[in-house]
Amino acid sequence: MEYSVIILAAGQGKRMYSALPKVLHKIAGKPILAHMISAAKAIAKDNVYVVYGHGGEQVREQLQAEKVHWVLQEELLGTGHAVLQVLPLIPDDHQILTLVGDCPLIKQQTLQNVLKQTCNNSIGVVTADFPNPHGLGRIIRDAENNVTNIVEERDATAEQQKICEINSGIITAPAKLLKEWLPQLKNHNAQEEYYLTDIIAMAAANQHPIHAVKAQKHYEVHGINTRKQLAELERFYQLEQAENFMLQGVTLADPNRFDVRGDVEIGQDTEVDINVIFSGKVRVGKNCRIGPNCELKDVSIADNVEIKANCILDDAIIGNACVIGPYARVRPGTELADEVKLGNFVEIKKTRIAEKSKVPHLSYIGDAIIGREVNVGAGTITCNYDGVNKRQTIIEDGAFIGSDTQLIAPVTIGKNAYIGSGATISKDAPADKLTICKKQQVVVEDWQPPKK
Ligand code: UD1
Ligand code: CA
């Protein structure tokens, strides 16, 4: 069977109180609609249709990399009307799956289940039992437990409102039948909208089987209408990620204070302390320790690495058994070989450091190449920027840079060179030699302390 998926995303999301369309708010760092598109593409790679409306240009612009068909619904006349806008683009023999635009945690398994159970000429709907179903469409069943209708909260009788089985908004039906039924929809209801859900009663009246498939987890079908619900869903998502990592052998100090916003792999026996944020593409090896309050973005970390508290790493490659932090900022283009140590209050950018070198305290190292077993003393600064151009500093193997040194790039420090403390090095320092900058110490004999 060929599938087409329609994502309904034209609503305004009024209750978000936001200039941003609802579907662009993020779960796990990714727009809600992008989650929906990923789920849809797994089913119908080339046949995903997104119905957009209010703020639509902004939505299209932000998600322009997604290969989907955008369909404009000029007036928001209801979910049935929204689907109707897409029907002319879909061949009659396709099975259509419609998704509401705001349930980003829907699982592929649930979608596959409803599609599998809904064969020729039948209708499928994903439902869930909610202890508090307020505001949602209710599933109406007859005495034989067959689904016969979906009634919206506002149109429901007091008796119907007691029903806890709700419509997730995820419905599948053959294109051919939708093409027959949707033009017949009436908007004789409390909201004066054309409801997609009214096709259930039409199907029942025409003896088409209706399969209700339950979502496995309630949060799969939790819509997002408010920022509170957005935050709740974020936590469900994060807890699920946390549980998966723990099952794979990662120790988390607190699964409630763990955030993954991207594509992340973490090796066995790695320990992650509280409030660590992983974003983008992150690889962490085995047996590492990540301290509290760190942000790791697009970084690859080998095994046995220790990252102490409050570090930020962005677009970097970290070798085996490195020790970083606390309070280190590792910026894009940094590559550390094995057993490199970056200490506290070190900022490093676009720099390669070879094995066993150390930058232990209070330094800025930018645009540099540092050899093996180099020691960069406390307070060393590469002066890499002249206001216009960035220039390179090279420190060769075994060199020792005394504390409080300024290296005015471009400059090279030779192999095993020794730079005396407090130097301002603007010319290359030769290998195997001590280079110092003499500054005289003067005692002012007639000095008087300041008076009030
Ligand atoms: C809808 C369902 C309800 C279900 C609930 C689940 C209908 C009539 N009701 O109600 O049974 O329990 O979802 O969350 O289908 N949209 C458009 N164009 C429109 C109207 C809506 O694209 O003209 C989109 C919205 O952007 C949203 C989705 O359709 O993504 C659902 O619309 P919404 O207004 O949120 O419907 P609910 O009242 O929540
Ligand atoms: Ca909704």
Side-chain angles (χ1 to χ4, degrees):
M1 187 134 45
E2 288 251 40
Y3 295 108
S4 286
V5 183
I6 302 176
I7 303 173
L8 304 181
Q12 318 188 353
K14 277 187 212 132
R15 281 175 286 166
M16 296 298 278
Y17 297 100
S18 176
L20 197 66
K22 177 168 85 179
V23 292
L24 290 182
H25 284 263
K26 289 175 179 160
I27 289 284
K30 178 166 143 177
I32 293 169
L33 184 55
H35 285 273
M36 303 303 305
I37 291 174
S38 305
K41 285 204 153 175
I43 290 161
K45 196 165 169 291
D46 301 317
N47 304 320
V48 175
Y49 299 84
V50 180
V51 180
Y52 71 101
H54 169 80
E57 291 318 315
Q58 203 181 345
V59 175
R60 279 186 72 159
E61 218 164 86
Q62 274 223 17
L63 298 176
Q64 60 187 351
E66 304 279 0
K67 297 245 170 329
V68 297
H69 308 279
W70 296 93
V71 180
L72 178 65
Q73 183 190 18
E74 285 184 27
E75 261 188 294
L76 299 188
L77 300 180
T79 49
H81 178 260
V83 173
L84 193 58
Q85 309 310 301
V86 189
L87 288 187
L89 306 173
I90 297 178
D92 284 1
D93 61 348
H94 276 213
Q95 179 77 12
I96 293 180
L97 176 68
T98 67
L99 307 176
V100 283
D102 62 352
C103 58
L105 304 196
I106 186 69
K107 284 189 196 303
Q108 204 45 227
Q109 191 58 51
T110 299
L111 298 179
Q112 295 297 346
N113 283 350
V114 72
L115 290 174
K116 222 177 288 162
Q117 294 202 28
T118 312
C119 40
N120 284 343
N121 279 323
S122 62
I123 315 298
V125 51
V126 176
T127 73
D129 294 315
F130 278 9
N132 175 11
H134 183 77
L136 295 165
R138 305 300 208 285
I139 304 293
I140 310 297
R141 293 176 182 263
D142 65 13
E144 277 83 55
N145 213 31
N146 296 313
V147 175
T148 56
N149 200 0
I150 294 176
V151 178
E152 293 306 305
E153 166 98 16
R154 290 205 248 172
D155 303 307
T157 62
E159 212 41 44
Q160 289 170 328
Q161 285 186 5
K162 287 184 192 146
I163 297 170
C164 289
E165 189 183 10
I166 59 95
N167 167 30
S168 67
I170 298 170
I171 293 179
T172 176
K176 198 160 172 292
L177 291 178
L178 288 179
K179 287 180 185 192
E180 190 184 319
W181 293 337
L182 289 186
Q184 299 177 37
L185 289 180
K186 300 277 184 299
N187 64 350
H188 302 155
N189 51 56
Q191 302 184 77
E192 298 188 335
E193 285 184 0
Y194 297 92
Y195 290 164
L196 172 65
T197 44
D198 284 352
I199 65 162
I200 301 296
M202 291 181 178
N206 290 288
Q207 270 80 49
H208 290 283
I210 299 158
H211 306 280
V213 174
K214 291 249 161 82
Q216 285 158 330
K217 305 272 191 211
H218 64 97
Y219 52 78
E220 286 184 70
V221 297
H222 259 272
I224 298 172
N225 296 311
T226 63
R227 296 199 200 225
K228 182 167 177 279
Q229 290 169 333
L230 183 72
E232 283 164 0
L233 239 64
E234 176 76 27
R235 235 356 75 193
F236 285 128
Y237 175 88
Q238 295 301 350
L239 265 175
E240 191 171 64
Q241 304 300 309
E243 278 167 20
N244 288 340
F245 283 114
M246 291 189 288
L247 287 173
Q248 290 161 24
V250 177
T251 297
L252 302 181
D254 182 356
N256 290 300
R257 287 178 289 173
F258 169 82
D259 286 86
V260 164
R261 300 174 190 163
D263 163 16
V264 177
E265 281 175 23
I266 307 177
Q268 259 178 32
D269 292 315
T270 284
E271 296 178 18
V272 181
D273 213 320
I274 59 167
N275 297 335
V276 177
I277 299 173
F278 298 83
S279 58
K281 194 172 166 84
V282 177
R283 297 285 169 274
V284 180
K286 293 183 198 146
N287 220 18
C288 295
R289 274 186 290 159
I290 317 289
N293 311 319
C294 289
E295 195 175 341
L296 308 182
K297 175 166 181 272
D298 295 315
V299 47
S300 164
I301 295 172
D303 300 336
N304 308 306
V305 170
E306 181 174 5
I307 299 182
K308 297 182 183 178
N310 302 305
C311 290
I312 299 176
L313 282 73
D314 180 5
D315 188 12
I317 299 172
I318 310 298
N320 196 50
C322 286
V323 179
I324 296 179
Y327 298 99
R329 178 160 181 223
V330 178
R331 292 173 48 199
T334 299
E335 282 180 41
L336 308 184
D338 296 348
E339 295 178 57
V340 168
K341 181 169 186 247
L342 297 184
N344 29 208
F345 306 106
V346 169
E347 175 180 352
I348 184 164
K349 182 214 91 172
K350 214 173 179 185
T351 289
R352 243 172 34 228
I353 303 188
E355 294 82 36
K356 297 191 173 158
S357 289
K358 296 177 186 166
V359 187
H361 330 268
L362 296 158
S363 287
Y364 170 61
I365 306 295
D367 303 291
I369 298 175
I370 298 179
R372 302 171 50 98
E373 295 185 55
V374 166
N375 188 81
V376 177
T380 296
I381 304 289
T382 52
C383 306
N384 60 326
Y385 186 49
D386 59 12
V388 180
N389 300 300
K390 300 275 165 70
R391 301 187 193 279
Q392 193 164 57
T393 299
I394 297 173
I395 305 176
E396 294 180 350
D397 294 349
F400 182 97
I401 314 295
S403 299
D404 191 26
T405 295
Q406 300 137 55
L407 300 164
I408 302 185
V411 71
T412 297
I413 309 297
K415 205 168 160 183
N416 299 321
Y418 198 107
I419 307 295
S421 290
T424 300
I425 302 292
S426 53
K427 290 186 228 109
D428 291 355
D432 301 308
K433 294 270 189 326
L434 169 67
T435 299
I436 56 173
C437 289
K438 278 194 177 170
K439 289 176 199 162
Q440 243 184 343
Q441 180 166 327
V442 177
V443 178
V444 180
E445 297 291 354
D446 57 357
W447 174 78
Q448 294 289 323
K451 291 189 186 78
K452 275 217 168 164

